[in-house]
Amino acid sequence: MITIPRATYRIQFRPGFGFADCRAILPYLVELGITHVYASPIFKARPGSIHGYDVCDHHALNPELGPPEEYEQLMAEVKRLGMGWVQDIVPNHMAVSGDNKMLVDVLENGPDSRYITFFDIDWHHPYKSMSGRMLAPFLGSYYSQVLENGEIRLGLDDDGFHVRYYDLRFPLRIDSYATILTWHIDPLRDTLGPENPEYVKLLGLLYNIKALGSEKRDQEHYDQISFIKRMLYEMYHTDESMCGHIDDAISAFNGLESEGEEDRYALLDALLAEQHFRLSYWKVAGQEINYRRFFSINDLISLRVEDEAVFHHTHKLVLDSIREKRIEGLRVDHIDGLFDPSSYLQRLRANAPDAYIAVEKILEGEEPLPGFWPVQGTTGYDFMNLVCGLFVDTRQETAFQRLYESFTGEKRTLAEITTDKKRDILRRHMAGDVDNLARQVNTVSSKDRKGFDITMATLRLAIGELLIQFPVYRTYISAKAFRPEDLGYIRTAVRATRRANPDLAFALDFLERFMLLEFDESMEEADRQEWLRFVMRFQQVTGPLMAKAMEDSAFYVMNRLVCLNEVGGDPGRFGIPAADVHAALARRRDNWPASMNATATHDAKRGEDARMRLAVLSELPDVWTESLAALRKASKGRKKRVAGRTVPDRNEEYFLYQTLLASMAFSAEEEGGFHERLESYLLKAMREAKEHTNWITPDERLEEASLSFASGLITQGPDEAFQKQFRPLFTRMARLGAVNSLSQTLLKITAPGVPDFYQGCELWDFSMVDPDNRRPVNYALREKMLSALRKSCAKDGCKAVSGFMENFEDGRIKLFLIWKALAARAGHARLFEEGSYVPLEFEGARKEMAFGYARTMDGESALTIVPRLFAKAAGEEARFPLGDFWQDSTVVLTGGVAFRDAFTGNTFAPGEPVYLRNALGTLPFALLIPDTEQ
């Protein structure tokens, strides 16, 4: 039976916060109301990894998180406290690292490696330089320059011959050892004599190397290789003549023993040409590539997890942990990267029938999660954006668009920006992926008369344009299943591509048949399989392209209201009407009632409370317009000219002001390195936007000028021009945004789904994008605050709660809300897990400013009531609690029992209208649960 978590808490394990640290905070999490630790990857990763997604060994825990005994103690404490564990797993990719022994084995042994089928590498690439070799695009400059600069060095250690490029180590194939060891062997023989025992050993070693030519992957083969390496290393360290010979050979191959005018690096160049890898400039991967990456990150290589052997090897430890009841749930990272996500999930479910499974999936607009996936839901991006949209005033879109265009001059739509970014990313980073797809189509089109005249150049262009026009992250067509919507997404993409490129109509007609799998009846089965394989490969490319173009680029350019620029969000949709939110939550309850309700994740663009501050701006376009004019005037003269351009430009300036409003702490004392954090964030934002600078060719003069502008504003004293204009606006946004944040938190806990809390967010979260949102959390402070709350409520029944809003800046009110709401959820677990969803109806002058719903089951109800879109009506000096603000507005309570507010203890009679000034008079939110004492 699947155990559904009542509340999860995301822990970001890293060096500095390991197993022992997590164990220490478990009692605090239990007191808060958390039932499940939700852990970032804990398997052996690249040394120093701060996230764990660069896995090197699925069979080992990360030693940087602590020794095995600390992990055992942690899991024992989890069990003792009655908690559960949801583990984040990474099935799509691994690190390209010397610590990835499987990949090292492949690079050393090539087709003889026992792991030859594990990685998604095209060993039969038509380019001769990559046929039978994996491209290794890790050089900082062109191969010839790096080689001739002596940066690639041959060496020998206890694991054999290798080449190094700074910290990277690449093993040589075993038969290449003979090339090195026989270099100038005649002088060695003449010196030692043919009967010399050490020389005879060398001949025996060379014989063993030659005898390894057979293609074996059994243990005997590996034992022989190990014997050769041990024998070589022993000879090197025990015989002076052999040591000298090998050292001389290494020096010669490294160009240190050149003779005359001959090419000093010819030996090493020829040796590298023999290997199962091809070292190249890292930029080459953008144009030519024969292995699949995680997005366009060269040092993360994808796995062929669709292979059953690969699946079982990479999942053994985690599945064993599930069978042993150590792990109860799984978060599947980057499900869209897999060749066949549906089959993968079916296999995962078959091996973990009782596990709670959530997938990291970005859904565009009304796109549904595939209903045939055997999962509980997503990791919550959809919920995060749904709730944010609720607090954005849709009625102000026209005014907001007008002021944005007026201030920045930016008139491009999100679709136009994304199209431009997709085209640029395809050209710079993914041309090799397009080329591989075109070759795959070409193998079949040459057999189809409708494709005879479609050239490779046309195929590349048509496929690229089709990728650019694709409307969602990916489709899920496979041999076994697909969503009905998938065919519609493909047809939409083809139509849009045809409109934009009428000269490609013939090729697009052909590709549409491919994509929709419209086979001719006479087509041979092998060709049908090739069509299907193309479609499934195409589906693996659309997601990375969309993510890089939209999330990692367009979202830093389309800055109209950046709280909407969130992972899985749509900045082009200015808010979501309350009725649409109700409909979405009702569908969630019916279809995915155990999906995660997240409001912050490690992938989020900004903190959950930062977004809620910015949502307030949507209600006040007039105030924002006036403020922008004042802020621009106050910062006049601080910009610089760089290469004929004013820096920062208007759009970057607009982005900066929103960032300051969103991310600054309530007081200067709380800032804690904000200056440095802001500079790091702005630098990343500029490079991600790719408008005037980027990661590949950064314009450092422009960047420095922009950062200097921002620094000059935030380091001003309170009486200086910019701060005098900024602070009043900030104070108002911070105060109103706090109410939005509290509402968002309560909705997360009571709406259909599993409430998820990102580490540290039980207090205010104004963080920026990673790595800023992975900063250490002060758990001692949180434990102290929760303990004080418990003592206070035990003493006076939470009578002091009214003071929490007067001093909301300290975050106690948010911690209090989470603690009490989770307790209410625990007390009525089935109601919140299975209860129906019924929108509440409000009456009175302020009815449009309230949002709420009832969770009902077996005659029992729990009612959630929160304010929204009240900023203008509340006035510039809005104070808490809101009280009389609600005038005569009411809500009718459902059910035939009395209700009690889970936070204040106030009671309400059944079946009578409740005035919102009473329900929301002490605190600006309410959770009315059955009053069992009545």
Side-chain angles (χ1 to χ4, degrees):
M1 180 178 177
I2 297 174
T3 299
I4 305 299
R6 193 161 64 239
T8 58
Y9 190 93
R10 174 71 175 198
I11 296 290
Q12 292 295 127
F13 285 99
R14 65 185 185 283
F17 191 93
F19 301 135
D21 302 287
C22 181
R23 180 181 172 224
I25 67 169
L26 291 181
Y28 158 72
L29 296 182
V30 171
E31 284 194 18
L32 185 61
I34 302 299
T35 63
H36 284 67
V37 172
Y38 172 22
S40 66
I42 59 174
F43 308 107
K44 185 178 181 182
R46 199 194 316 268
S49 175
I50 63 171
H51 48 72
Y53 289 98
D54 42 3
V55 177
C56 290
D57 187 349
H58 291 93
H59 289 189
L61 297 173
N62 190 343
E64 295 186 313
L65 303 181
E69 54 267 27
E70 289 186 0
Y71 173 73
E72 294 298 331
Q73 291 166 358
L74 167 60
M75 300 310 287
E77 183 70 354
V78 167
K79 186 174 182 178
R80 186 186 73 80
L81 293 172
M83 300 183 76
W85 189 280
V86 177
Q87 182 59 57
D88 195 345
I89 60 173
V90 191
N92 178 68
H93 57 269
M94 295 181 73
V96 177
S97 167
D99 292 277
N100 184 346
K101 299 307 180 185
M102 293 196 304
L103 182 60
V104 168
D105 191 292
V106 169
L107 296 179
E108 180 177 7
N109 295 298
D112 294 336
S113 170
R114 59 174 55 137
Y115 305 114
I116 189 64
T117 61
F118 275 51
F119 298 98
D120 206 344
I121 304 170
D122 180 3
W123 295 105
H124 305 289
H125 198 280
Y127 295 175
K128 187 175 180 181
S129 64
M130 287 189 286
S131 179
R133 307 170 74 192
M134 174 185 146
L135 186 74
F138 305 112
L139 304 181
S141 188
Y142 294 100
Y143 167 76
S144 60
Q145 295 175 350
V146 170
L147 180 71
E148 293 164 11
N149 287 338
E151 297 172 63
I152 303 173
R153 312 287 288 180
L154 175 66
L156 174 68
D157 57 23
D158 60 353
D159 199 29
F161 283 116
H162 60 267
V163 291
R164 280 193 181 275
Y165 175 71
Y166 295 99
D167 293 335
L168 295 175
R169 181 190 185 279
F170 294 89
L172 299 191
R173 56 191 295 174
I174 199 72
D175 46 356
S176 286
Y177 286 31
T179 304
I180 302 167
L181 293 173
T182 56
W183 176 86
H184 283 197
I185 195 172
D186 291 345
L188 177 68
R189 182 192 59 200
D190 294 343
T191 300
L192 296 178
E195 303 301 324
N196 180 280
E198 296 303 322
Y199 184 72
V200 171
K201 281 185 182 179
L202 176 60
L203 293 180
L205 189 68
L206 292 171
Y207 177 81
N208 278 311
I209 292 171
K210 185 177 180 181
L212 278 172
S214 58
E215 295 186 5
K216 294 182 179 179
R217 298 175 191 167
D218 56 22
Q219 188 58 47
E220 181 183 354
H221 179 78
Y222 280 91
D223 289 344
Q224 290 175 1
I225 291 175
S226 180
F227 169 75
I228 290 169
K229 290 179 179 179
R230 286 198 311 272
M231 187 175 176
L232 172 63
Y233 203 60
E234 179 183 325
M235 291 168 60
Y236 179 77
H237 282 281
T238 58
D239 184 85
E240 186 175 338
S241 297
M242 285 302 304
C243 179
H245 172 67
I246 294 172
D247 282 344
D248 288 345
I250 289 174
S251 293
F253 277 84
N254 284 333
L256 303 179
E257 299 289 340
S258 62
E259 299 177 2
E261 298 298 320
E262 67 181 29
D263 185 350
R264 295 173 57 193
Y265 297 101
L267 283 174
L268 186 55
D269 182 37
L271 183 70
L272 290 171
E274 298 176 3
Q275 305 312 311
H276 296 300
F277 55 85
R278 172 198 154 193
L279 294 174
S280 71
Y281 188 16
W282 66 269
K283 291 185 179 181
V284 169
Q287 301 297 317
E288 298 176 1
I289 190 78
N290 71 333
Y291 69 92
R292 189 169 59 84
R293 303 162 289 173
F294 173 68
F295 294 137
S296 57
I297 302 174
N298 292 347
D299 59 1
L300 292 177
I301 184 170
S302 295
L303 290 159
R304 296 185 61 253
V305 76
E306 65 272 14
D307 184 311
E308 188 170 1
V310 178
F311 174 90
H312 285 293
H313 182 92
T314 56
H315 289 67
K316 183 180 187 306
L317 181 56
V318 72
L319 291 176
D320 284 348
S321 296
I322 289 175
R323 295 184 191 105
E324 294 164 3
K325 307 298 183 183
R326 290 170 172 247
I327 293 176
E328 290 185 327
L330 298 173
R331 174 207 191 258
V332 181
D333 180 65
H334 191 44
I335 190 68
D336 279 353
L338 305 187
F339 181 70
D340 189 351
S342 303
S343 293
Y344 167 81
L345 291 171
Q346 295 286 350
R347 180 171 287 151
L348 183 64
R349 175 57 73 198
N351 285 273
D354 297 329
Y356 172 84
I357 300 177
V359 292
E360 187 210 21
K361 168 61 191 166
I362 294 174
L363 298 166
E364 285 290 295
E366 301 300 319
E367 178 188 2
L369 190 67
F372 48 82
W373 280 3
V375 300
Q376 276 57 63
T378 72
T379 55
Y381 300 148
D382 45 349
F383 183 86
M384 181 164 56
N385 287 286
L386 178 71
V387 174
C388 181
L390 176 67
F391 295 97
V392 172
D393 192 346
T394 58
R395 299 166 298 184
Q396 306 300 333
E397 179 173 14
T398 299
F400 229 83
Q401 180 65 26
R402 187 183 303 118
L403 74 87
Y404 177 56
E405 291 182 4
S406 175
F407 187 91
T408 67
E410 179 62 72
K411 297 184 178 181
R412 291 177 294 173
T413 65
L414 177 66
E416 291 169 339
I417 296 170
T418 302
T419 295
D420 290 344
K421 299 301 181 184
K422 280 187 173 183
R423 183 164 284 111
D424 184 61
I425 287 165
L426 279 182
R427 178 177 62 85
R428 289 174 177 264
H429 303 287
M430 299 179 69
D433 298 283
V434 175
D435 187 61
N436 292 340
L437 288 172
R439 286 189 295 101
Q440 198 167 356
V441 174
N442 188 247
T443 60
V444 179
S445 65
S446 61
K447 303 177 185 178
D448 189 320
R449 65 173 180 270
K450 295 180 181 178
F452 279 172
D453 292 336
I454 304 177
T455 65
M456 274 291 291
T458 299
L459 281 175
R460 288 191 195 98
L461 184 58
I463 290 171
E465 291 298 313
L466 189 59
L467 287 166
I468 288 169
Q469 297 293 341
F470 218 75
V472 293
Y473 277 73
R474 72 163 286 168
T475 49
Y476 300 95
I477 293 174
S478 70
K480 296 180 180 179
F482 60 88
R483 295 177 299 184
E485 292 82 1
D486 288 338
L487 303 183
Y489 296 138
I490 291 169
R491 292 187 177 103
T492 295
V494 171
R495 285 196 299 268
T497 307
R498 193 182 285 116
R499 284 194 300 270
N501 304 271
D503 54 323
L504 294 176
F506 187 80
L508 289 169
D509 288 344
F510 186 75
L511 283 176
E512 185 172 21
R513 290 175 55 223
F514 248 74
M515 297 293 295
L516 298 176
L517 300 181
E518 294 177 348
F519 308 115
D520 289 336
E521 291 185 6
S522 60
M523 181 175 288
E524 295 182 2
E525 182 60 28
D527 290 337
R528 292 181 180 229
Q529 291 301 315
E530 195 61 33
W531 276 41
L532 178 61
R533 183 170 178 78
F534 165 77
V535 172
M536 296 177 75
R537 281 297 190 191
F538 182 92
Q539 292 175 146
Q540 285 182 292
V541 178
T542 56
L545 178 60
M546 179 75 88
K548 295 300 293 181
M550 192 153 70
E551 290 174 44
D552 295 342
S553 194
F555 278 12
Y556 291 96
V557 179
M558 208 291 193
N559 296 324
R560 182 173 64 176
L561 184 64
V562 296
C563 64
L564 299 174
N565 297 25
E566 194 49 84
V567 178
D570 180 3
R573 185 181 186 184
F574 200 82
I576 305 175
D580 291 353
V581 174
H582 280 308
L585 291 177
R587 288 194 300 272
R588 190 178 188 83
R589 185 269 173 197
D590 293 340
N591 300 326
W592 305 103
S595 194
M596 280 187 169
N597 292 351
T599 48
T601 75
H602 61 281
D603 287 321
K605 298 297 183 185
R606 51 192 51 81
E608 63 184 36
D609 302 315
R611 286 197 304 275
M612 290 297 97
R613 280 183 181 174
L614 294 175
V616 176
L617 282 180
S618 72
E619 304 178 59
L620 304 169
D622 294 341
V623 172
W624 185 221
T625 300
E626 294 172 5
S627 297
L628 285 170
L631 294 174
R632 173 183 285 171
K633 182 177 180 181
S635 59
K636 189 176 182 181
R638 292 185 172 273
K639 293 187 177 184
K640 296 179 182 179
R641 297 282 293 178
V642 177
R645 177 181 290 117
T646 300
V647 179
D649 69 20
R650 294 285 188 86
N651 198 30
E652 292 167 335
E653 182 182 2
Y654 185 91
F655 176 83
L656 170 62
Y657 296 153
Q658 288 188 81
T659 298
L660 294 179
L661 284 174
S663 300
M664 288 186 72
F666 290 109
S667 65
E669 292 76 20
E670 299 175 272
E671 290 298 340
F674 180 72
H675 186 178
E676 294 77 13
R677 292 170 48 220
L678 177 68
E679 286 199 346
S680 297
Y681 173 62
L682 293 177
L683 180 62
K684 181 171 184 175
M686 285 187 287
R687 290 183 178 180
E688 294 282 40
K690 305 173 187 67
E691 292 288 278
H692 310 306
T693 186
N694 57 66
W695 294 106
I696 298 177
T697 54
D699 186 329
E700 294 181 359
R701 286 182 59 211
L702 180 148
E703 292 170 353
E704 177 57 34
S706 189
L707 296 181
S708 176
F709 175 81
S711 179
L713 300 183
I714 66 173
T715 55
Q716 284 187 7
D719 295 327
E720 294 187 69
F722 180 82
Q723 288 296 327
K724 287 179 70 175
Q725 295 296 331
F726 176 77
R727 276 292 165 182
L729 175 66
F730 170 79
T731 300
R732 186 177 183 185
M733 295 301 105
R735 188 169 59 244
L736 296 171
V739 178
N740 281 353
S741 292
L742 297 170
S743 298
Q744 173 182 245
T745 302
L746 183 56
L747 296 179
K748 170 169 69 176
I749 296 172
T750 63
V754 175
D756 171 50
F757 298 86
Y758 185 72
Q759 60 176 29
C761 290
E762 56 270 36
L763 297 184
W764 299 123
D765 171 30
F766 304 118
S767 58
M768 293 168 274
V769 76
D770 75 286
D772 191 65
N773 61 13
R774 303 176 197 261
R775 287 172 295 143
V777 176
N778 185 345
Y779 283 109
L781 171 64
R782 287 159 174 77
E783 291 173 10
K784 182 179 178 181
M785 292 179 72
L786 181 58
S787 178
L789 284 173
R790 291 178 66 88
K791 290 178 181 177
S792 175
C793 288
K795 182 179 179 180
D796 60 18
C798 298
K799 292 180 181 178
V801 69
S802 59
F804 294 172
M805 282 307 298
E806 295 174 7
N807 302 286
F808 71 92
E809 294 91 344
D810 64 13
R812 279 186 306 164
I813 183 61
K814 187 178 180 186
L815 184 66
F816 172 78
L817 185 160
I818 294 170
W819 170 48
K820 298 299 286 184
L822 286 180
R825 185 179 176 106
H828 303 274
R830 286 194 63 228
L831 177 62
F832 286 103
E833 290 175 8
E834 304 174 25
S836 61
Y837 179 92
V838 181
L840 294 180
E841 295 185 6
F842 299 91
E843 298 295 336
R846 306 290 200 198
K847 66 179 182 179
E848 299 299 328
M849 299 174 193
F851 180 85
Y853 49 79
R855 303 298 307 280
T856 66
M857 185 177 183
D858 297 334
E860 188 178 66
S861 297
L863 282 64
T864 297
I865 305 172
V866 297
R868 66 183 285 266
L869 308 183
F870 62 93
K872 185 175 293 187
E876 187 173 349
E877 299 297 326
R879 290 286 181 252
F880 307 118
L882 294 172
D884 291 340
F885 166 83
W886 293 105
Q887 300 176 359
D888 63 343
S889 299
T890 61
V891 61
V892 176
L893 303 187
T894 61
V897 299
F899 287 89
R900 174 176 56 85
D901 188 345
F903 306 109
T904 65
N906 295 337
T907 59
F908 301 88
E912 297 181 5
V914 171
Y915 286 93
L916 294 187
R917 63 172 178 263
N918 295 328
L920 304 177
T922 304
L923 296 174
F925 51 84
L927 174 57
L928 307 185
I929 57 178
D931 186 5
T932 56
E933 297 178 4
Q934 294 291 315

